[in-house]
Amino acid sequence: MQATLTDLQSEVARLRHELQSLALEHKGDEQITVADYLLTRLEQLGVSSIFGVPGDFNMRMSIFKDYVEDHPTIKWIGNCNELNAAYAADGYARVKPHSIGVVVTTFGVGELSAINGIAGAFSEMVPVLHIAGVPSTTQLKTRPLLHHTLGDARFDVFTKAAEQVTISQAMLANKVQATADIDRILIDCVSRARPVYLSLPTDMVSEKVSTKRLKIPLSRILPPNNPDVEEFVLDEIIKVVREAESNVVVLVDACVSRHDVQDEVKDLLAATHFPVYSTPMGKTTIDEDYDRYGGIYIGSISEPVIKERVESAKLILSIGALKSDFNTGMFTYRIPTTHTIELHSDCVLVRHAHFPNIGMKQLLPKLTSRLKDFRCQASELVVSKFKLEVPVEETSDITQSYFWPRVGTFFRKKDVIVTETGTSNFGILDVPLPEQTIFVSQILYGSIGWAVGSTLGAALAARDRGLGRVILFIGDGSMQLTVQELSTMTRHGLTPIIFLINNSGYNIERNLHGMNRKWTSLLTTLGDLNGTLSRSYTVRNKPELEKLLDDPQFANAGKIQLVEVVMDKYDTPRALKMAAELSTKYAEQSAKQF
């Protein structure tokens, strides 16, 4: 039912856009190619980089890739493979709000290679456009035995696969409908924060279409909340807050940033002074040096002071929750439904009551206006400072317990910090990050190797926005899956700092790179042949790491840098160790119930 209502709302938005377009005068109508129309729309959305891999269905002179390369403001970022390109589009969209990531692949082999990256963006609600260059419209109808097919005339099988991991799809079958289809899926992409799929036949790329629709901006406006239901919901929330005697804790999660309500949430917090905590997926949604911010809540994995404060509150105002296993400490939240209000992009839950089609984007400003009267009482609630001291340890070895708080002192305002699935994701959770830092991780989908491609996209977006350094933390095992993309970073003059945690991960590392080969030779192997564009280091103990982190030249990130951090292979961050134990218990309990 909910999916049907969402689809209807999307259709209403599309029809409204169509009416605006039809109302334009035809007089003086200009003609441009379908490719240029699409690129203009992407330019309007703030896209300045398109990722992908050339293929014979998108590479010829009349085909889309050439139009990208000729565009004055959008750059073609050629990737080493389609999976990395999809990861890069994901990272780009996460760091560049109000824009989208774009990946271009060829038919069949290319789009299937990218589909895992698109699935991750779908899972974590990241707006990405996947453009697949496909055979001509005639070939799609006659279905000859073409290369890149399954050899059984099922040319639609790849589109059907894309339907499983995208929110909206379009096949540009004729120029009459082409511009409307492009607008439709792009509106879905930006308004519903999910990937979309565009199938672009070779003979459609240079077809001429009208420019008139380009005068109407793509709509980001969400369907309005029903005013009567919204007013009732507001009354119910105020009543519950009053019953809780203002002992309210705000818990922010991933959908705060995914659905563009960060400003509304900040206004709410400033007006009310309610204490605020974050989930792992919501990390840096709120500046972590904000004086009413208490840290990361992960159920039973939380630091004891955080766990006690959140779970003892009389009411939790949860905003944009995504209650996955890792995000909730393996489902160990100890918060009764009777003590919970949840705000989502498409519904509100007040205790056991569910109010569909009441979106938080429009609700939050009205709620803030009515909750500001509780500020005085809320200000009396104590919030422990979120901090993590660097421990004093007898050993000179670099331990997980030492490494994460120490690199925490290295971070700066506006840094973009990317962490890989596993050790890095969990190690950094307890580390307070400076204001305006952007934390990028893939905790829900957890595709190993995602972080390298994502760092490429994040670095390009950070450069566009004038942000600070881009810093990647990744394990030696994960790095092997997507390591080729370091060459792309070097080629485009990007300068991320890469901390590679070498804890003797996969044995394949020694076999692939040579039994005595070092990670520090990697950047010269992958593009920096004369060693002038990059710098590599190995740190094996605390003094070596301290010296490096205190080096101003290293900290300024003037070139791409890789730091091999040697650790014991059995050493594990606190949060990961607890998550593993809870995961085992949860699996055992589930097996018994089954």
Side-chain angles (χ1 to χ4, degrees):
M1 173 64 77
Q2 185 60 45
T4 301
L5 289 171
T6 302
D7 290 340
L8 286 173
Q9 291 170 343
S10 176
E11 181 65 9
V12 168
R14 185 190 69 80
L15 291 172
R16 187 182 294 115
H17 184 76
E18 286 299 304
L19 286 173
Q20 289 178 305
S21 299
L22 291 173
L24 292 171
E25 294 290 337
H26 287 271
K27 187 177 180 180
D29 187 19
E30 296 180 13
Q31 298 282 306
I32 59 173
T33 65
V34 169
D36 285 326
Y37 183 93
L38 174 56
L39 289 170
T40 302
R41 278 304 195 199
L42 295 178
E43 184 180 26
Q44 290 174 352
L45 291 175
V47 174
S48 59
S49 296
I50 290 180
F51 306 92
V53 176
D56 54 356
F57 287 114
N58 63 20
M59 191 173 63
R60 300 186 199 119
M61 279 303 294
S62 62
I63 310 305
F64 182 69
K65 174 183 171 291
D66 302 284
Y67 285 89
V68 179
E69 292 186 331
D70 292 339
H71 197 276
T73 64
I74 298 178
K75 292 184 179 179
W76 170 260
I77 309 296
N79 294 91
C80 298
N81 58 59
E82 292 87 356
L83 176 60
N84 289 355
Y87 288 159
D90 179 313
Y92 183 90
R94 290 175 190 249
V95 176
K96 198 165 185 180
H98 307 127
S99 188
I100 65 173
V102 182
V103 56
V104 177
T105 70
T106 195
F107 178 59
V109 292
E111 51 189 312
L112 290 185
S113 291
I115 201 166
N116 184 54
I118 302 299
F122 184 91
S123 172
E124 301 226 344
M125 291 178 292
V126 181
V128 171
L129 167 65
H130 180 186
I131 303 170
V134 304
S136 70
T137 53
T138 300
Q139 290 173 323
L140 292 172
K141 291 175 183 177
T142 58
R143 295 182 292 179
L145 188 59
L146 292 180
H147 63 290
H148 294 344
T149 70
L150 299 180
D152 60 1
R154 288 187 298 151
F155 279 32
D156 63 343
V157 67
F158 308 118
T159 302
K160 289 180 178 178
E163 289 172 357
Q164 311 308 309
V165 294
T166 56
I167 199 70
S168 186
Q169 308 82 32
M171 163 70 78
L172 300 191
N174 61 76
K175 66 178 185 179
V176 175
Q177 188 63 23
T179 57
D181 282 341
I182 290 170
D183 287 0
R184 171 177 58 82
I185 63 169
L186 290 179
I187 289 172
D188 285 344
C189 188
V190 298
S191 63
R192 300 170 72 177
R194 299 274 193 174
V196 296
Y197 174 86
L198 179 65
S199 186
L200 185 56
T202 57
D203 58 334
M204 284 297 302
V205 175
S206 56
E207 285 283 357
K208 293 295 183 71
V209 294
S210 169
T211 62
K212 68 179 189 296
R213 298 179 66 99
L214 294 174
K215 300 173 185 177
I216 303 294
L218 295 174
S219 175
R220 298 176 183 270
I221 299 173
L222 299 171
N225 293 337
N226 181 298
D228 293 334
V229 178
E230 185 179 66
E231 187 66 21
F232 181 81
V233 169
L234 289 168
D235 289 341
E236 288 297 297
I237 293 175
I238 299 303
K239 182 169 65 176
V240 174
V241 172
R242 190 172 289 116
E243 290 176 4
E245 300 173 328
S246 301
N247 186 359
V248 178
V249 161
V250 176
L251 184 63
V252 294
D253 210 332
C255 291
V256 169
S257 56
R258 303 294 198 271
H259 291 281
D260 190 30
V261 294
Q262 281 184 276
D263 289 341
E264 289 82 356
V265 170
K266 289 177 182 177
D267 290 343
L268 171 72
L269 296 172
T272 64
H273 255 212
F274 289 143
V276 58
Y277 295 81
S278 173
T279 67
M281 289 183 70
K283 188 172 175 67
T284 68
T285 295
I286 299 299
D287 282 343
E288 298 192 340
D289 59 356
Y290 172 54
D291 61 359
R292 303 294 288 168
Y293 178 75
I296 303 289
Y297 176 66
I298 332 174
S300 296
I301 298 175
S302 310
E303 289 286 355
V305 65
I306 296 174
K307 184 178 188 297
E308 192 280 330
R309 181 65 190 88
V310 172
E311 295 179 359
S312 66
K314 293 184 179 179
L315 181 66
I316 303 296
L317 178 57
S318 172
I319 307 179
L322 239 175
K323 295 183 179 179
S324 69
D325 48 3
F326 285 151
N327 206 35
T328 63
M330 299 311 300
F331 309 115
T332 57
Y333 275 16
R334 296 292 180 261
I335 306 169
T337 303
T338 52
H339 291 187
T340 304
I341 294 171
E342 293 187 17
L343 307 184
H344 295 277
S345 63
D346 57 359
C347 70
V348 172
L349 285 73
V350 182
R351 293 174 167 168
H352 291 284
H354 176 226
F355 301 94
N357 303 312
I358 300 296
M360 60 183 174
K361 180 74 173 177
Q362 296 166 343
L363 181 75
L364 274 167
K366 299 167 188 175
L367 183 60
T368 297
S369 178
R370 297 182 62 169
L371 285 176
K372 63 184 180 182
D373 295 338
F374 296 92
R375 179 187 173 98
C376 290
Q377 292 172 282
S379 297
E380 297 175 2
L381 299 171
V382 176
V383 181
S384 298
K385 180 68 175 176
F386 181 42
K387 60 182 180 180
L388 185 64
E389 302 291 344
V390 180
V392 177
E393 299 177 336
E394 293 183 3
T395 177
S396 65
D397 294 340
I398 301 173
T399 62
Q400 296 281 349
S401 59
Y402 157 84
F403 177 75
W404 295 107
R406 178 60 184 91
V407 295
T409 67
F410 174 73
F411 297 142
R412 297 175 180 171
K413 177 181 177 180
K414 291 189 176 182
D415 279 346
V416 177
I417 299 170
V418 186
T419 59
E420 176 60 69
T421 295
T423 301
S424 301
N425 269 356
F426 285 91
I428 205 165
L429 290 181
D430 295 333
V431 179
L433 302 179
E435 64 176 314
Q436 299 182 51
T437 299
I438 298 176
F439 175 60
V440 182
S441 66
Q442 198 190 57
I443 291 173
L444 174 55
Y445 194 64
S447 183
I448 186 171
W450 163 88
V452 178
S454 184
T455 296
L456 167 63
L460 287 163
R463 187 160 67 183
D464 289 349
R465 294 184 58 193
L467 298 175
R469 305 169 302 179
V470 176
I471 304 173
L472 166 64
F473 293 92
I474 188 168
D476 52 334
S478 299
M479 177 69 98
Q480 295 175 64
L481 277 78
T482 48
V483 67
Q484 315 96 313
E485 225 55 50
L486 296 182
S487 66
T488 311
M489 298 179 202
T490 302
R491 188 170 71 252
H492 288 280
L494 301 173
T495 60
I497 297 174
I498 302 163
F499 286 94
L500 187 143
I501 300 172
N502 188 346
N503 53 3
S504 301
Y506 299 134
N507 187 52
I508 193 173
E509 172 199 342
R510 286 178 288 276
N511 288 279
L512 289 177
H513 294 284
M515 298 307 290
N516 299 306
R517 185 82 177 264
K518 302 296 184 182
W519 279 104
T520 48
S521 63
L522 190 60
L523 292 174
T524 54
T525 303
L526 295 175
D528 183 20
L529 299 180
N530 59 11
T532 60
L533 303 176
S534 65
R535 185 76 186 271
S536 297
Y537 314 81
T538 295
V539 291
R540 298 176 177 82
N541 52 52
K542 290 187 177 79
E544 291 178 355
L545 178 62
E546 292 283 350
K547 181 180 178 181
L548 182 63
L549 295 180
D550 291 337
D551 182 348
Q553 185 175 359
F554 171 74
N556 287 337
K559 56 180 64 177
I560 184 171
Q561 300 176 100
L562 184 145
V563 182
E564 180 185 13
V565 183
V566 180
M567 293 188 184
D568 183 87
K569 64 181 178 180
Y570 297 115
D571 192 17
T572 306
R574 177 198 68 83
L576 179 54
K577 188 180 298 183
M578 295 183 68
E581 293 171 355
L582 288 170
S583 179
T584 300
K585 291 179 181 178
Y586 180 75
E588 291 173 350
Q589 291 172 357
S590 298
K592 289 178 181 179
Q593 291 174 356
F594 180 76

